[in-house]
Amino acid sequence: MRTQLIHSIRPDLNLGSSQSTPAEQFQNQTLRPILKFQHELLVAAFQAYIGKRHGTFFQLPAKDRLEWIKQSLQKDQSLRNTLTGMVIGYFSLEEWGRFQENEAEHSRRLIQMLIQRLQSAVESFKNQD
């Protein structure tokens, strides 16, 4: 029941996976649809993270903001755990098992996709001063 509900709310991205490695298949069949579904919440959570840092993000030149996003996700364990938890919470039990089988690789891919997604949304970030 839970698995069907979770899959029914995810967007269908129609990404081919016939020639993909298992890690690529997991990325395309599980991670990408969840990231797309959770996009607004992920951006809002990152906005809150920026706000807690007293807006230092908005004092940076535009080109440095992309690096700031990357460094934040790579170095701040709490932020990384929060954002990955927002994704993992939409796994089915089967997907959770697959994630655990190759956790290091799947986590690396997830963080990279989160970085890219937030970097592409940087224009929508608003200074909350």
Side-chain angles (χ1 to χ4, degrees):
M1 175 83 165
R2 182 177 187 279
T3 298
Q4 293 168 334
L5 288 172
I6 286 174
H7 287 202
S8 73
I9 61 173
R10 291 183 193 165
D12 185 8
L13 303 181
N14 294 320
L15 298 171
S17 61
S18 61
Q19 301 281 324
S20 302
T21 66
E24 289 170 332
Q25 288 175 359
F26 186 79
Q27 173 182 298
N28 292 335
Q29 294 170 357
T30 302
L31 298 177
R32 286 189 191 282
I34 294 172
L35 285 168
K36 185 171 180 76
F37 176 75
Q38 289 288 81
H39 178 78
E40 290 176 10
L41 182 60
L42 293 165
V43 169
F46 195 75
Q47 280 255 167
Y49 175 80
I50 291 170
K52 288 178 184 176
R53 266 97 204 122
H54 307 292
T56 56
F57 176 82
F58 295 105
Q59 297 168 2
L60 297 171
K63 64 180 177 62
D64 292 341
R65 292 178 182 181
L66 299 179
E67 184 62 25
W68 193 90
I69 292 168
K70 180 179 177 182
Q71 291 299 314
S72 294
L73 272 160
Q74 289 178 339
K75 294 183 178 183
D76 190 323
Q77 186 70 40
S78 178
L79 173 66
R80 197 166 52 243
N81 288 344
T82 298
L83 297 181
T84 57
M86 291 177 180
V87 174
I88 291 171
Y90 281 90
F91 283 4
S92 67
L93 289 175
E94 176 192 338
E95 290 165 337
W96 172 245
R98 288 176 51 206
F99 181 81
Q100 287 186 307
E101 288 173 6
N102 196 358
E103 187 172 356
E105 175 64 16
H106 295 315
S107 291
R108 183 191 66 75
R109 287 175 181 266
L110 174 55
I111 294 301
Q112 194 58 38
M113 289 188 296
L114 280 166
I115 290 168
Q116 291 169 352
R117 182 162 285 275
L118 292 170
Q119 286 176 335
S120 69
V122 73
E123 299 299 321
S124 70
F125 297 160
K126 297 189 179 22
N127 194 342
Q128 299 171 344
D129 283 346

